[in-house]
Each structure stands twice: as C-alpha cells, then as structure tokens.
C-alpha cells in the first residue's frame, strides 16, 4: 500500500496509509461500482461509539434508500483517515475537527460535509473522560504534571482537551508527558500501570470504569459547552466531481444521526457488531449527542486552543472547511 506524505502541521507530519488498519484494498474504483442503482463508497471510521449511526443507518437501509452502499474500514484516528480520503483511497471519512483544521490550514483539500458527534456538555456525564487507576494518587488534572498521559493521537483534539483541563485546574500542560496509544489499548495499559492517565472515549471509558478506574475530568466539556467533536468529510475534488453522491451521503447520514439520537438501545446493540466490548460494560456506556448541525462557537474555541498549542501552520478557515 502506498504511503502519502502530507504537510499538515508545523513542520512535516507523516501520514502512513498503512496505519489505517484496514484489510481492504481501498480501490478508488469502488465509487463507480454500481448494482441496481446502488453505488458503493468506502468510508474510513474509528471503531468507537461515535460512528454507530453509520452502522445503524446501513442496517436500517437508509443508505440503500439513497442509492448508496457503505464499505466501512477502520483506523486509529482521524489523522490517518485524512490522507486516505485526500488520496482517493476512501471517498468519505470520519475525523475529529482538530485533524480537519490541521489539514485545512495546510492547504490539504478537505471539506466537512455532515455532522458527526457532539459532547453531551455535562461534566462527569460525557462520552469522553480523563481517567486514572482507582488507587492512583492523581486527584486532579493539575497532578498530571510530570506524569505519562495517553491520547489516541499526539498533537490533536484529545491532547488539546487534556491540556485545557490541566490549565483549568491550575497546572502547566507543558509539563505533561503525552504518549500515543489506541483507545482500545488504553484500559489495559492504565490497569497495568504503564501510563498514569488516559483520555478515553466510549466504549473504552466504560471499560476503564468497569476496572475501577476514576474519571478526573470531562476534558471535551472543558474545551467548550456542547463541543462539536467530529464530522464526516470528503476531499474537495471528490465533492466537486460528485455533488450528487455527496448529497446522497449527507441525506442518508442526517437520517442516520436522527435515528441514532432517538434510539439509544439500538445504538448500544449495533456497537457490539464492530467492537469487542462485553454486554455488561456496554450497558454503562455514555452515548454522545448526534445533532443535525455543528456548533460553530465551540469550533472557534477549539481552533483558538489549537492555535495556542501551535498545531496549525496558519489559522484554519472555518468558512472554507464547512462550506
């Protein structure tokens, strides 16, 4: 599988397509493979609760109704999905907003086209949390100075969120030792004492709590109330060349988001089809919000924090990204 080098942050940032974790060949010709008026498109996802609406929408026939069949592939984070979409390996992708802003600020041609997820906005009751072992001496994010904290992708949204929690607690985020680890590996690493804290999202958050772990901050809530965390996106070129397919994806995804938001029990059930979370733990999962539209004010705050942390080459153009 070829690798794509893209400049997406201050300095040169390496995006390895082989890190996408998919066994699919990613043939771009999938977009032209039609049978009975249904077009197959490849979508890059992270295997977390956030993307349940797409799995649910596929099962309920929402995408087929709009003339689409989804070929779902997985990756560790949005930073790996972005280059795969830009290169044409995937037609659509799911990414956190920091990854998309990093890309857009470096002239990587991406366009956010459908809302993804939002924080619940409730401290202590969000789908993401900064966690420690049950017997940890860490009581507050301030105590993480000098400690090893796991995030799924360095210099990205979860690191920004943790840094903000540390700041709000009166600590110095520059003294935190961030390490990169996949969400599904964090509970075991935390339990084994290999890391001091982990910024996890569901279903890993429920797993950590089932092991007796404690949540010391709702870091996504600390960034902004009702934070728009992620969106579905495509490449600018694909959007320009395939406006009808993009519209079909937008319409089917909007239907899927609304259905997921109204049927939490079905969401929990569908999550078992693409994660290994035990049913008993799944019952404890806190679901995110799936609103129809992104929260612009929250994205402006996320962008400001990213600029403060030096994540962008130039200031992102939200109007262009969300156009």
């Amino acid at each position: 599988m070829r690798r794509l080098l893209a400049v997406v942050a201050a300095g040169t940032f390496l995006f390895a397509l082989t890190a996408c974790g998919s066994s699919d060949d990613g043939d771009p010709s999938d977009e032209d493979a039609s049978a009975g008026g249904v077009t197959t498109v490849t979508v890059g996802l992270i295997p977390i609760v956030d993307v349940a609406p797409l799995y649910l929408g596929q099962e309920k026939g929402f995408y087929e109704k709009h003339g689409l069949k989804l070929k779902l592939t997985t990756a560790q984070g949005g930073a790996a999905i972005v280059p795969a979409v830009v290169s044409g390996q995937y037609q659509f992708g799911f990414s956190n907003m920091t990854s998309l802003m990093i890309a857009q600020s470096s002239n990587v041609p991406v366009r956010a086209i459908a809302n993804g997820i939002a924080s619940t906005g409730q401290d202590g009751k969000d789908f993401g949390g900064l966690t420690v072992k049950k017997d940890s001496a860490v009581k507050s994010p301030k105590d993480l100075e000098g400690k090893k904290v796991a995030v799924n992708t360095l210099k990205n949204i979860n690191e920004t969120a943790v840094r903000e929690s540390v700041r709000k607690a009166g600590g110095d985020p520059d003294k935190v030792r961030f390490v990169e680890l996949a969400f599904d590996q964090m509970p075991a690493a935390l339990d084994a004492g290999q890391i001091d804290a982990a910024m996890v999202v569901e279903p890993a958050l429920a797993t950590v709590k089932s092991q007796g772990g404690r949540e010391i901050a709702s870091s996504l809530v600390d960034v902004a109330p009702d934070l728009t965390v992620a969106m579905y996106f495509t490449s600018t070129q694909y959007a320009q060349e395939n406006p009808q397919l993009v519209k079909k994806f937008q319409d089917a995804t909007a239907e899927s988001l609304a259905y997921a938001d109204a049927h939490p029990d079905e969401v929990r059930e569908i999550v078992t089809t693409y994660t290994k979370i035990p049913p008993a733990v799944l019952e404890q999962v806190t679901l995110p919000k799936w609103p129809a539209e992104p929260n612009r004010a929250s994205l402006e705050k996320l962008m400001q924090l990213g600029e403060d942390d030096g994540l962008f080459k130039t200031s992102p153009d939200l109007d262009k990204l969300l156009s």
Side-chain angles (χ1 to χ4, degrees), residues 14-152:
L14 176 63
F15 284 117
L17 292 186
T18 53
C20 290
S22 169
S23 60
D24 295 309
D25 58 14
D27 185 353
S29 66
D30 284 339
E31 63 188 278
D32 299 320
S34 298
V38 176
T39 302
T40 299
V41 292
T42 303
V43 187
L45 303 174
I46 310 168
I48 51 180
V49 170
D50 309 25
V51 298
L54 259 68
Y55 286 89
L56 197 54
Q58 179 98 310
E59 182 183 83
K60 293 294 179 182
F62 299 153
Y63 287 92
E64 185 175 4
K65 181 178 71 174
H66 288 278
L68 296 177
K69 178 181 178 181
L70 304 185
K71 184 179 180 182
L72 303 176
T73 65
T74 61
Q76 180 170 320
I81 296 173
V82 169
V85 171
V86 172
S87 70
Q89 184 186 7
Y90 305 158
Q91 284 71 61
F92 302 100
F94 175 86
S95 176
N96 71 72
M97 293 309 297
T98 295
S99 286
L100 293 180
M101 287 190 279
I102 288 173
Q104 197 275 329
S105 72
S106 298
N107 296 315
V108 177
V110 293
R111 184 179 300 174
I113 58 169
N115 205 28
I117 57 161
S119 160
T120 65
Q122 300 181 57
D123 192 44
K125 297 180 179 180
D126 198 20
F127 75 97
L130 181 56
T131 60
V132 297
K133 278 185 73 173
K134 60 181 177 181
D135 57 354
S136 172
V138 174
K139 306 299 181 185
S140 159
K142 183 181 187 301
D143 300 331
L144 293 175
E145 292 180 353
K147 299 293 194 298
K148 189 184 294 186
V149 180
V151 292
N152 70 313

Side-chain angles (χ1 to χ4, degrees), residues 9-290:
T12 301
F13 193 97
L14 176 63
F15 284 117
L17 292 186
T18 53
C20 290
S22 169
S23 60
D24 295 309
D25 58 14
D27 185 353
S29 66
D30 284 339
E31 63 188 278
D32 299 320
S34 298
V38 176
T39 302
T40 299
V41 292
T42 303
V43 187
L45 303 174
I46 310 168
I48 51 180
V49 170
D50 309 25
V51 298
L54 259 68
Y55 286 89
L56 197 54
Q58 179 98 310
E59 182 183 83
K60 293 294 179 182
F62 299 153
Y63 287 92
E64 185 175 4
K65 181 178 71 174
H66 288 278
L68 296 177
K69 178 181 178 181
L70 304 185
K71 184 179 180 182
L72 303 176
T73 65
T74 61
Q76 180 170 320
I81 296 173
V82 169
V85 171
V86 172
S87 70
Q89 184 186 7
Y90 305 158
Q91 284 71 61
F92 302 100
F94 175 86
S95 176
N96 71 72
M97 293 309 297
T98 295
S99 286
L100 293 180
M101 287 190 279
I102 288 173
Q104 197 275 329
S105 72
S106 298
N107 296 315
V108 177
V110 293
R111 184 179 300 174
I113 58 169
N115 205 28
I117 57 161
S119 160
T120 65
Q122 300 181 57
D123 192 44
K125 297 180 179 180
D126 198 20
F127 75 97
L130 181 56
T131 60
V132 297
K133 278 185 73 173
K134 60 181 177 181
D135 57 354
S136 172
V138 174
K139 306 299 181 185
S140 159
K142 183 181 187 301
D143 300 331
L144 293 175
E145 292 180 353
K147 299 293 194 298
K148 189 184 294 186
V149 180
V151 292
N152 70 313
T153 307
L154 294 172
K155 301 297 181 183
N156 214 287
I157 188 169
N158 285 310
E159 180 174 330
T160 294
V162 172
R163 291 174 67 89
E164 182 66 359
S165 291
V166 172
R167 264 189 222 103
K168 286 190 170 183
D172 183 353
D174 290 336
K175 294 181 179 178
V176 177
R177 296 163 53 206
F178 288 99
V179 297
E180 189 170 288
L181 198 62
F183 285 126
D184 61 0
Q185 296 174 18
M186 291 183 189
L190 188 63
D191 198 46
Q194 296 169 352
I195 53 178
D196 298 298
M199 178 59 202
V200 291
V201 299
E202 298 290 12
L205 178 56
T207 301
V208 169
K209 290 180 177 178
S210 74
Q211 296 172 172
R214 294 184 288 108
E215 182 177 343
I216 60 171
S218 296
S219 295
L220 297 173
V221 179
D222 284 341
V223 170
D226 305 317
L227 173 66
T228 293
V229 176
M231 293 183 67
Y232 294 94
F233 72 100
T234 189
S235 68
T236 301
Q237 180 179 354
Y238 190 82
Q240 292 172 344
E241 295 177 352
N242 302 277
Q244 292 183 336
L245 282 178
V246 170
K247 182 64 164 57
K248 290 178 180 179
F249 182 82
Q250 289 173 319
D251 291 345
T253 299
E255 193 170 345
S256 299
L257 291 172
Y259 189 88
D261 220 31
H263 298 82
D265 290 342
E266 291 187 47
V267 168
R268 295 179 195 279
E269 185 176 346
I270 202 74
V271 168
T272 64
T273 66
Y274 65 92
T275 72
K276 298 177 181 178
I277 185 168
V281 176
L282 186 59
E283 293 177 5
Q284 306 305 315
V285 164
T286 299
L287 300 179
K289 295 295 184 182
W290 287 291

